[in-house]
Amino acid sequence: MLIIWGLRVFFRTIGQGMFHCPKCGGDRQYRLREGRRWFTIFFIPVIPLNKVGGQHVQCLTCKTRYQPQVLQLPTAAQMQAAIPAGLRAAAATMLRAGDEASAAARQRAIQVIVAGGAQGYDEAALDAEIALAPEIRAARVAEVGGQLTADAKEWFLAEIIRIGMADGPLNEGERDAALAVGQGLGMTQAQVIGVVALTEQASTSE
């Protein structure tokens, strides 16, 4: 009997989920696949051999394949959740650096947070945010910073600075808080100082 044998690469799915597909331009289902060479008899895989070709991510909508690094891109859903979370954390950081009991500053903070997508945010939620450990707030700012463009980071920081200015000029603690938020977003010290100056200048001209 003639035995037909050979070598063939088979792929198997080792993970799946949602990702941002660059080709589709939106959130899509994906599968993470890995290839392995097999020894085959009558085209049936019998003995697994070495892994080949590494791993790839395949969009289940357009079927395009990508390197696994594409999974590092934030999905639209992740961005939608990260922005209000980052605003809440940054606003609390600014309030703690100034007068966290200031009615004007608190009102401004709530307005900014609600406008950023956190509907129903209130005084109790703000107090809970202020009570969080500084490292938790810093992590949330850093998370949103990794998803914003340079212009969006400046807008974000300016909104936080206006919270500190709601009850008067920035004090040294509030300037330090602005620097911490800006650097958490991935901005340089010079960029932060520039945004602070422009925001203060705009305030005086209103």
Side-chain angles (χ1 to χ4, degrees):
M1 180 178 65
L2 178 63
I3 298 178
I4 301 175
W5 62 272
L7 299 175
R8 186 176 176 185
V9 176
F10 290 87
F11 288 89
R12 68 186 183 98
T13 298
I14 60 174
Q16 55 189 354
M18 293 291 295
F19 84 128
H20 178 80
C21 177
K23 184 174 181 180
C24 294
D27 293 353
R28 298 290 186 269
Q29 290 278 348
Y30 76 86
R31 59 182 178 182
L32 178 62
R33 309 195 76 199
E34 181 179 73
R36 181 182 289 275
R37 183 176 285 109
W38 287 73
F39 178 80
T40 63
I41 297 178
F42 292 112
F43 309 106
I44 298 173
V46 177
I47 302 174
L49 302 175
N50 58 308
K51 295 180 181 179
V52 296
Q55 298 176 351
H56 69 264
V57 173
Q58 184 178 40
C59 175
L60 296 186
T61 300
C62 67
K63 308 304 181 183
T64 304
R65 296 181 179 184
Y66 303 98
Q67 292 295 316
Q69 290 85 342
V70 74
L71 298 181
Q72 297 175 5
L73 297 173
T75 64
Q78 288 171 332
M79 290 189 65
Q80 187 175 7
I83 290 175
L87 281 172
R88 293 196 303 267
T93 298
M94 180 58 73
L95 285 172
R96 289 202 61 167
D99 181 5
E100 63 186 68
S102 167
R106 291 173 67 89
Q107 181 181 12
R108 177 70 186 183
I110 291 173
Q111 289 173 347
V112 168
I113 293 167
V114 170
Q119 298 300 317
Y121 197 82
D122 57 15
E123 293 275 350
L126 183 60
D127 286 333
E129 198 78 37
I130 292 172
L132 288 176
E135 56 268 24
I136 295 177
R137 296 198 304 272
R140 292 178 178 176
V141 172
E143 182 178 359
V144 73
Q147 302 178 22
L148 298 179
T149 65
D151 288 344
K153 290 177 183 180
E154 292 182 0
W155 162 82
F156 185 108
L157 181 58
E159 290 290 348
I160 300 306
I161 293 168
R162 292 187 186 100
I163 293 171
M165 296 172 55
D167 56 359
L170 295 178
N171 60 36
E172 286 305 310
E174 290 168 334
R175 291 183 186 277
D176 289 342
L179 180 59
V181 170
Q183 291 181 329
L185 293 172
M187 302 171 68
T188 66
Q189 182 174 357
Q191 289 174 322
V192 173
I193 292 173
V195 173
V196 170
L198 287 174
T199 306
E200 289 178 322
Q201 182 179 357
S203 177
T204 58
S205 62
E206 291 178 353

